[in-house]
Amino acid sequence: HCNTCNMCVIKREHHCMFVGYCVGHMNHRYFCLFLAYLWIGVGYCTYFNTVFLMRMMTSTVTWGQLLKFLLPMIMLITGIDMSWMQLYIFFWSVHFAGFLLTSVLLIYHVRLIVFGTTTYESNHNDRKYDLGWRQNLTEVFGRNWKVAAVWPFAESKLPHNGVNWDTK
C-alpha cells in the first residue's frame, strides 16, 4: 500500500518523487527505461557542455576561474560575476549534478533488478525472490527482455500476474 497515492500497488517498488507515481509490477520496466534514457540525455548534454566550456576557457587556470566552478550560483546571485561565461559554468554544473544523480539512480535500480529485489526488500535484506539475473530480468522486462530492455514499445509479456511469485 502506498500512503502517498493512497492505493495498493502490485509488487510496489517505490513511490517515485521525481515522476510522481508508484513504480510497481506493470510499470517497473518503463521506469527503468525512463532512467536509462534520462541518463543518456543528461550525459549527452554534459559532454557537449564540457566541450563548449573547454573551448571558451583560457589556456591557464586561475584562482578566479576555479572559484567560478566551485561556487557558480553564489557568483551569479551576489553579482560578483554576471558574465555569460559564469552563466555557462552554472548550466554546466547543473548538468553535471544531474548526470551524477541519474548515474547513481540507474546503477541502484539495475542492481535491484539483477538481484531480484525491491527497495523495501533490499533495505530489509530479503533475498527470497532472487532467481538468478536472467530470470530477474524476465520478471521486470518480460519474456522478450533482450528487446524490451532497449525498446519501450516491444511486446514482452510478464511471466506472472503480479500476485503469485516464484521464490528460491
Side-chain angles (χ1 to χ4, degrees):
H1 182 78
C2 177
N3 293 329
T4 307
C5 294
N6 199 24
M7 64 186 312
C8 289
V9 179
I10 297 174
K11 193 186 172 195
R12 181 176 176 269
E13 163 59 38
H14 69 284
H15 181 89
C16 183
M17 64 182 187
F18 296 112
V19 293
Y21 62 80
C22 281
V23 176
H25 178 65
M26 298 303 288
N27 63 355
H28 196 184
R29 161 186 165 189
Y30 301 106
F31 174 76
C32 292
L33 289 175
F34 166 73
L35 279 180
Y37 293 143
L38 186 65
W39 181 79
I40 290 168
V42 174
Y44 177 87
C45 290
T46 304
Y47 171 77
F48 283 108
N49 279 330
T50 303
V51 170
F52 175 76
L53 274 178
M54 297 293 256
R55 290 183 182 160
M56 297 290 288
M57 300 289 288
T58 59
S59 59
T60 58
V61 177
T62 64
W63 284 105
Q65 287 178 335
L66 188 61
L67 190 62
K68 288 179 182 184
F69 272 95
L70 293 176
L71 307 167
M73 189 65 160
I74 292 174
M75 298 293 255
L76 284 174
I77 290 175
T78 59
I80 294 173
D81 188 354
M82 295 291 288
S83 66
W84 283 106
M85 186 62 175
Q86 188 59 40
L87 188 64
Y88 299 152
I89 291 170
F90 171 73
F91 284 130
W92 177 86
S93 65
V94 170
H95 285 127
F96 187 72
F99 181 72
L100 291 177
L101 175 68
T102 54
S103 297
V104 168
L105 285 172
L106 185 62
I107 290 167
Y108 177 72
H109 283 283
V110 166
R111 186 185 148 280
L112 287 177
I113 291 171
V114 167
F115 290 116
T117 61
T118 62
T119 303
Y120 178 85
E121 293 163 353
S122 178
N123 291 341
H124 291 85
N125 206 18
D126 184 4
R127 304 271 187 234
K128 67 182 170 191
Y129 297 106
D130 185 2
L131 304 172
W133 69 271
R134 281 193 177 135
Q135 185 59 33
N136 293 338
L137 285 171
T138 304
E139 299 288 327
V140 173
F141 292 100
R143 298 188 198 288
N144 192 13
W145 65 268
K146 290 177 184 174
V147 176
V150 178
W151 184 245
F153 305 110
E155 293 253 348
S156 187
K157 187 176 180 331
L158 294 174
H160 292 93
N161 59 6
V163 178
N164 301 315
W165 296 93
D166 296 332
T167 57
K168 284 185 177 180

